[in-house]
Amino acid sequence: MERPGARVELTPEAADLLRRLRETHGPLMFHQSGGCCDGSAPMCYPDGEFRTGGADVLLASLEVAGVAEPVPFWMSKAQFELWSHTRLIVDVVPGRGSGFSLEAPEGVRFLIRSRLVDSVPDPRN
């Protein structure tokens, strides 16, 4: 599901899981913090349940076939500074991540894979 110039993309498995989660929980959002523990795992919430603010950057509004609305992908500014030259790939792997992310009861977890890129659009501009 890669688009040229996209900062965030989804694997087919991640898109499938988002469709299932959307059916159960309604509109969704991602937030990627720079914290410890699951800091490299994006957290999936019902849209608006996690409050974003000036310390966050909206990296993408992910279009997912079968999901009525885009899924916003937020990242803390501090984390973005470290990952500013990467394309983020949201994937799904077996195992339990954080209990706060919606996929936790499914026995899988979202995971970020990254790929260095020469340049990608800066969402702050």
Side-chain angles (χ1 to χ4, degrees):
M1 300 187 86
E2 181 177 341
R3 295 181 337 239
R7 180 168 288 285
V8 182
E9 63 189 77
L10 300 167
T11 63
E13 295 79 10
D16 287 344
L17 181 54
L18 284 173
R19 281 187 281 277
R20 292 194 317 267
L21 292 173
R22 170 59 175 88
E23 287 179 20
T24 303
H25 301 283
L28 305 170
M29 69 178 288
F30 278 111
H31 187 271
Q32 172 107 21
S33 72
C36 67
C37 306
D38 279 331
S40 62
M43 306 292 274
C44 185
Y45 301 102
D47 192 24
E49 187 172 299
F50 185 92
R51 290 193 180 254
T52 58
D56 300 296
V57 177
L58 177 62
L59 294 185
S61 292
L62 302 168
E63 300 285 338
V64 182
V67 173
E69 61 285 314
V71 179
F73 189 101
W74 293 86
M75 180 179 274
S76 72
K77 280 185 182 178
Q79 186 82 344
F80 175 72
E81 294 300 325
L82 298 172
W83 291 22
S84 63
H85 299 305
T86 61
R87 175 170 289 136
L88 305 177
I89 302 131
V90 180
D91 199 1
V92 176
V93 295
R96 286 190 52 98
S98 171
F100 296 114
S101 195
L102 291 175
E103 81 281 5
E106 305 285 323
V108 295
R109 60 184 285 195
F110 287 111
L111 179 78
I112 288 293
R113 300 183 191 283
S114 62
R115 182 173 51 228
L116 289 176
V117 292
D118 291 330
S119 76
V120 289
D122 188 333
R124 298 174 295 180
N125 295 331

